[in-house]
Structure formats: C-alpha cells, structure tokens
C-alpha cells in the first residue's frame, strides 16, 4: 500500500512488458530451433550475426550515425534542401551580428 496509483500502474505495465519479452524470446528460440533442424547446412550467422551486431554497436557509440548532418545537399530532398539553406542563412546572419558587436 506504499505505492501511488501511478507507480502501481507502471509496475503492472513493466511486469506485462517483461512477460511479452519472454514470449518473444521463446518465439525466436522456436524459429532458431526450426531453422537449425530443417536446414541442410545451418549457419550460426544466419540466425544471429554477433559480429554485425558488435559493429553496429560500435558505430552507434562512436557517433558514425551523425553522418547525415554532413551529407551533401544534392543527396537531400526538396524540403531538406530548403531547411538546410534556411539554417545556413540563420548561421550567416548571426555570425555577421557577432562580427559587428566585436568590431
């Protein structure tokens, strides 16, 4: 009785999510088992490529997924080009104001 109603709802939600995750893991395990039993030459990497997952993790940690910010304008769509031009104009405007204040 020490929980607030909101805390209790969140606790129940967490328990249900844990149960859903368990069912999902069991379904994946069944699919892996089926693949392993029915394939002539099963490969571990077809079920789960740990090397690829590690590379993806390293990419996310090192920040390589921020390359979209450095992309070429020609590769972007119409709206993105407009937004990029707008951002460039804003930066140019404020950099001019900074030079006026300093000078």
């Amino acid at each position: 009785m020490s929980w607030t109603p909101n805390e209790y709802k969140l606790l129940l939600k967490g328990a249900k999510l844990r149960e859903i995750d368990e069912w999902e893991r069991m379904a994946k395990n069944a699919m892996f088992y089926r693949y392993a039993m029915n394939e002539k030459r099963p490969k571990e990497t077809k079920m789960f490529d740990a090397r690829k997952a590690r590379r993806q993790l390293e990419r996310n940690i090192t920040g390589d997924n921020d390359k979209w910010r450095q992309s070429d304008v020609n590769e972007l769509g119409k709206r993105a080009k407009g937004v990029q031009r707008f951002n460039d104009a804003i930066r140019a405007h404020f950099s001019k104001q900074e030079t006026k204040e300093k000078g």
Side-chain angles (χ1 to χ4, degrees), residues 20-57:
I20 290 169
D21 284 344
E22 185 179 341
W23 279 100
E24 183 182 24
R25 268 189 242 107
M26 288 191 313
K28 285 181 183 179
N29 192 19
M31 294 301 292
F32 287 157
Y33 180 76
R34 179 176 177 260
Y35 168 79
M37 295 307 290
N38 293 327
E39 190 70 21
K40 281 187 178 180
R41 293 185 183 98
K43 293 183 180 181
E44 183 182 345
T45 56
K46 279 194 174 183
M47 291 187 276
F48 179 72
D49 193 355
R51 201 175 286 155
K52 181 179 175 182
R54 286 186 192 107
R55 272 185 278 145
Q56 185 66 34
L57 176 66

